[in-house]
Each structure stands twice: as structure tokens, then as C-alpha cells.
Amino acid sequence: MATDVVELILNDHRRFEELFRELRDRSSDRPALLAELAALLVAHAEAEESEVYPALKRYKRVDDEEVDHGAEEHAEGHQALLALMEVADTESEEWESKLEELVEALNHHVDEEERTILNDARSEVPDDRRAELGRAFLDVRQDRLDDDCGDLEYVRKIARATADRID
């Protein structure tokens, strides 16, 4: 299994895209897919913020402002995720609208993160350090998944806790 933090993050990003495609399909098991997305999205963001972002800020050629902006975008994603999770009827137009808001917020974040932070990390952070960060990222991510971080109450809690980051 790869441990390069850049590759691990990219793998999660691709899974988010797959889940969005599946969630748009009205015949899919939307509640189960949303539960998977919520857990992975929260675990991913928390692992990045606790292990990856602080470490990357120590590298001169990794843009600190982009790293901080990434954390702001995580907060926006938490808000959009919560808004979707709070719509009970997965067949409603409201649910469809909230899904698209989440897709838009997350796609924007993923695009920026991949073009800036991850490209910088790939070129500026040595391979062995990226592997260390990958192991730390995976450990925190798995801990959060094991703690059921995609639970509605937990998402409410982190959405409240991170609301002040949004400009």
C-alpha cells in the first residue's frame, strides 16, 4: 500500500468524485452513500488539518496562505455537508440542491488543493517525509473513521466549531 501523503489524498479525492456520481443517481442507496461520504470527508479533512497542513507550513516553498485557505474550505465543506445531511427526503429537490452545493464546494477545494498545496508538496517535500506524513494521515483518518466521525451529531459539532473560519 502506498504511503505517499500526496497519493493518499489524491485517492480520497477520486473516491469523493465517485461518491458524488453515485449520489446523483436517484436509484442508488443515497443514505448509505451519504454516510460513507460524510465519514470519509470528515476523517480526510481532520487528518489533513492535524497532520499534513501543519507539517507543510514548515516548508518555505509551500504556500502558507494556500494551506490556511484549504482549512477554510474544509469548514465550508462541513457546512455544506451538514446542510445536505439535514434534508430527510433524498428524493426531494431540496436534497438535490444541497447535494450540488456540496459538490461545488468540494470540487472547488479539491481543484485548488491539487493545483497548489499538493503540487508544492510533491516537488518540495522529500519522499521519505511524504511517506511519514502519509502514515500519520492514515492513522488519524482511520481513528476518525473508527469513531464514526460521519455521524450527524459529530458533523453538527464540527460545523459549529469551524464556522468562524469562513470568510
Side-chain angles (χ1 to χ4, degrees):
M1 181 166 99
T3 59
D4 182 320
V5 71
V6 173
E7 295 308 314
L8 294 169
I9 290 170
L10 290 172
N11 289 342
D12 279 358
H13 289 177
R14 300 300 75 85
R15 182 62 186 146
F16 297 149
E17 292 165 358
E18 290 170 14
L19 287 166
F20 285 147
R21 277 191 296 279
E22 294 175 41
L23 282 162
R24 285 177 167 142
D25 179 356
R26 289 178 179 255
S27 67
S28 67
D29 183 352
R30 286 176 158 178
L33 291 166
L34 181 56
E36 180 184 345
L37 176 67
L40 184 58
L41 187 57
V42 170
H44 174 95
E46 290 190 345
E48 279 185 339
E49 289 182 34
S50 70
E51 299 299 324
V52 181
Y53 285 4
L56 293 181
K57 287 179 83 166
R58 293 188 206 106
Y59 287 87
K60 288 183 170 65
R61 295 190 185 242
V62 175
D63 188 333
D64 287 0
E65 287 181 26
E66 285 298 331
V67 174
D68 291 339
H69 184 63
E72 289 172 17
E73 290 179 342
H74 285 167
E76 291 170 2
H78 296 325
Q79 298 293 325
L81 175 62
L82 177 60
L84 178 60
M85 292 176 77
E86 289 183 330
V87 179
D89 182 0
T90 62
E91 299 298 317
S92 70
E93 286 303 314
E94 180 185 14
W95 196 91
E96 298 279 346
S97 175
K98 296 298 182 191
L99 173 61
E100 291 310 313
E101 288 173 20
L102 176 59
V103 168
E104 186 177 315
L106 195 61
N107 283 344
H108 172 83
H109 169 68
V110 163
D111 178 58
E112 279 190 0
E113 185 175 70
E114 289 181 6
R115 283 185 299 104
T116 59
I117 298 169
L118 297 182
N119 277 341
D120 289 350
R122 185 178 280 132
S123 64
E124 301 302 324
V125 179
D127 293 352
D128 60 332
R129 182 63 177 129
R130 287 198 322 267
E132 285 175 30
L133 288 172
R135 288 187 292 277
F137 172 82
L138 283 175
D139 286 347
V140 171
R141 183 176 164 276
Q142 190 60 54
D143 285 346
R144 296 304 189 278
L145 289 170
D146 291 346
D147 289 341
D148 197 21
C149 66
D151 171 75
L152 179 59
E153 286 310 312
Y154 189 81
V155 174
R156 282 183 178 139
K157 182 178 120 185
I158 60 168
R160 280 193 305 268
T162 61
D164 62 335
R165 289 188 204 162
I166 300 171
D167 289 334

